[in-house]
Amino acid sequence: MATDGSRPVTARLEVLTVPSGDRVLDILPVLQRMLDGDGPALLPVPADDDREIRRLTDALQPGQPIDAGIGLVVATSGTTGTPKGAQLTAGALRAGGDATHRALGGTASWLLALPAHHIAGMQVLLRSVLSGTVPTVVDVSDGFDPAELPTAIAAMPGPRRYASMVPTQLVKCLDRPEALDALASLDAILLGGAATPAPVLRRARQSGVHVVRTYGMSETCGGCVYDGVPLDGVRVRVDDDSRVWLGGRTLASGYRGMPDHPAFAEPGWFRTDDAGIVDDGVLHIVGRLDEAISSGGLTVVPQVVEAVLVEHPAVREAAVVGLPDDRLGHRVTAVVVAAGPDSPDLAELRAFVSDALGAAAAPRELHVVDALPLRGPGKVDRRGLTARFS
């Protein structure tokens, strides 16, 4: 608790309204003061979404006291529907930004093509502040249009230029040669928020795009493991049950209003819900422990099945969920976006998955959709898919 010389002064959380488009540049001075430790703790909310503002403010209580030293409270994407607020210090945010620039080869100008109230987009703004640059903005308030990339990227100052994207954005660029050419001119593209399908990664890299896969979350100031290797100051361990733990200088100071949350019960570590393995010092994420499907007494990891499905030539994108089944408990269900005008065939996909993973993992039901529903910046809304097709 600070004082003003005569009475105690308690820090309080304040709302930071984050505009869309080029107006987002107006908040750069506020972020600079926060990083310098010369401003209040901030709760970023989207300026143009009253419903989301109410959801975040109801849950995270701006105006109420907050521990000294907190710079940002960033809402998680809320798999349960109720957001939690990761409390990030200015020191943690600086550590993440500085480590990113060291990993990529130096400071640079950045392309902002993500909503800036989420941690990935916010980090583009913070890294720009740390670089002493102004980001180039692609307005995604009405969705991401890859046709805007060539002009935006051409306007970015050098000598080094970076971007941060989610896999669904890169998928949209694959069939747009001019967008791919523009992306290939960048020194690096951080790709995170969700797993990147192997075919997408291959096609992008074959087109000369320097993709760096990132792993992390709001609780670690965003991506903190690049291509499986922890950034400077970041620690990774995997338990005997394959659960991934993250620690180090980018770690959040717990959740707002949840001092006893079990994810932060071990000092200096964050317990994720991800399963992974470490092979020769490189972390590989297998899937989420809380999304595993129990079908006929066997456990099926959706992300493993999805990685096989997207290798089929008829499948562009895929999500796998478990739907209630009287006999099996849950039946493995595939929801896919077709790669062409013809819909994939269930029997063919079953055989394809069975050959790779065994019959238990093969989908028993198939739904073809125009696009996978998302929550947050690029994560598939599995709860929404389960509710839609149950």
Side-chain angles (χ1 to χ4, degrees):
M1 181 178 294
T3 72
D4 63 2
S6 58
R7 59 184 177 80
V9 177
T10 302
R12 296 182 184 275
L13 181 64
E14 294 187 7
V15 169
L16 173 64
T17 302
V18 181
S20 57
D22 286 336
R23 293 177 300 155
V24 75
L25 303 179
D26 294 341
I27 70 171
L28 292 179
V30 179
L31 297 178
Q32 177 73 73
R33 290 195 294 272
M34 181 274 295
L35 287 173
D36 291 341
D38 188 27
L42 303 170
L43 170 64
V45 300
D48 304 322
D49 190 338
D50 290 341
R51 181 177 179 182
E52 183 68 358
I53 290 174
R54 287 194 300 272
R55 189 177 80 97
L56 296 180
T57 55
D58 286 349
L60 301 177
Q61 297 296 300
Q64 298 301 311
I66 191 167
D67 292 342
I70 303 301
L72 287 180
V73 174
V74 179
T76 66
S77 39
T79 57
T80 63
T82 301
K84 298 186 292 291
Q87 301 185 126
L88 308 176
T89 66
L93 292 164
R94 279 186 171 273
D98 291 342
T100 289
H101 289 138
R102 286 194 297 272
L104 296 181
T107 58
S109 64
W110 284 84
L111 179 75
L112 176 63
L114 294 167
H117 64 284
H118 290 297
I119 187 60
M122 179 57 65
Q123 276 288 29
V124 170
L125 299 181
L126 296 173
R127 293 172 190 140
S128 297
V129 170
L130 292 173
S131 296
T133 61
V134 176
T136 300
V137 180
V138 173
D139 190 347
V140 294
S141 56
D142 292 323
F144 171 70
D145 183 358
E148 297 183 19
L149 287 179
T151 300
I153 291 175
M156 296 175 66
R160 298 189 64 80
R161 302 179 302 165
Y162 305 141
S164 184
M165 302 177 71
V166 294
T168 52
Q169 292 177 313
L170 187 56
V171 168
K172 290 183 178 181
C173 294
L174 291 179
D175 297 324
R176 303 291 290 269
E178 68 283 1
L180 277 181
D181 288 345
L183 293 178
S185 72
L186 298 176
D187 293 279
I189 295 173
L190 301 184
L191 197 65
T196 304
V200 172
L201 189 61
R202 283 198 301 270
R203 287 185 60 188
R205 286 178 170 167
Q206 288 167 0
S207 299
V209 181
H210 181 197
V211 175
V212 178
R213 292 170 299 161
T214 71
Y215 169 69
M217 52 280 299
S218 299
E219 293 87 346
T220 59
C221 293
C224 62
V225 178
Y226 286 10
D227 285 333
V229 179
L231 293 176
D232 290 347
V234 174
R235 295 178 292 162
V236 174
R237 81 169 197 249
V238 177
D239 275 357
D240 291 340
D241 66 354
S242 298
R243 185 184 298 275
V244 177
W245 293 69
L246 298 173
R249 290 186 297 188
T250 67
L251 192 65
S253 301
Y255 291 125
R256 176 160 171 77
M258 301 179 179
D260 300 319
H261 196 283
F264 290 97
E266 184 173 340
W269 290 95
F270 172 67
R271 186 194 71 185
T272 79
D273 287 321
D274 295 316
I277 58 174
V278 175
D279 182 14
D280 196 22
V282 177
L283 175 67
H284 301 271
I285 301 300
V286 177
R288 285 186 63 86
L289 295 167
D290 58 352
E291 291 176 349
I293 301 167
S294 179
S295 182
L298 299 174
T299 299
V300 177
V301 179
Q303 292 84 354
V304 174
V305 182
E306 292 164 2
V308 173
L309 285 171
V310 295
E311 295 283 0
H312 192 281
V315 176
R316 181 186 180 101
E317 299 175 71
V320 171
V321 296
L323 299 185
D325 187 279
D326 292 339
R327 181 173 66 88
L328 299 170
H330 291 88
R331 61 185 178 276
V332 179
T333 301
V335 184
V336 306
V337 177
D342 298 326
S343 293
D345 177 73
L346 175 60
E348 187 175 336
L349 293 185
R350 275 187 57 80
F352 190 73
V353 173
S354 292
D355 287 345
L357 302 175
R364 296 176 177 271
E365 186 174 326
L366 173 66
H367 298 276
V368 180
V369 296
D370 293 331
L372 296 176
L374 303 178
R375 60 172 179 81
K379 295 182 176 65
V380 173
D381 184 1
R382 297 180 194 277
R383 293 179 68 227
L385 287 175
T386 300
R388 176 178 174 182
F389 294 115
S390 292

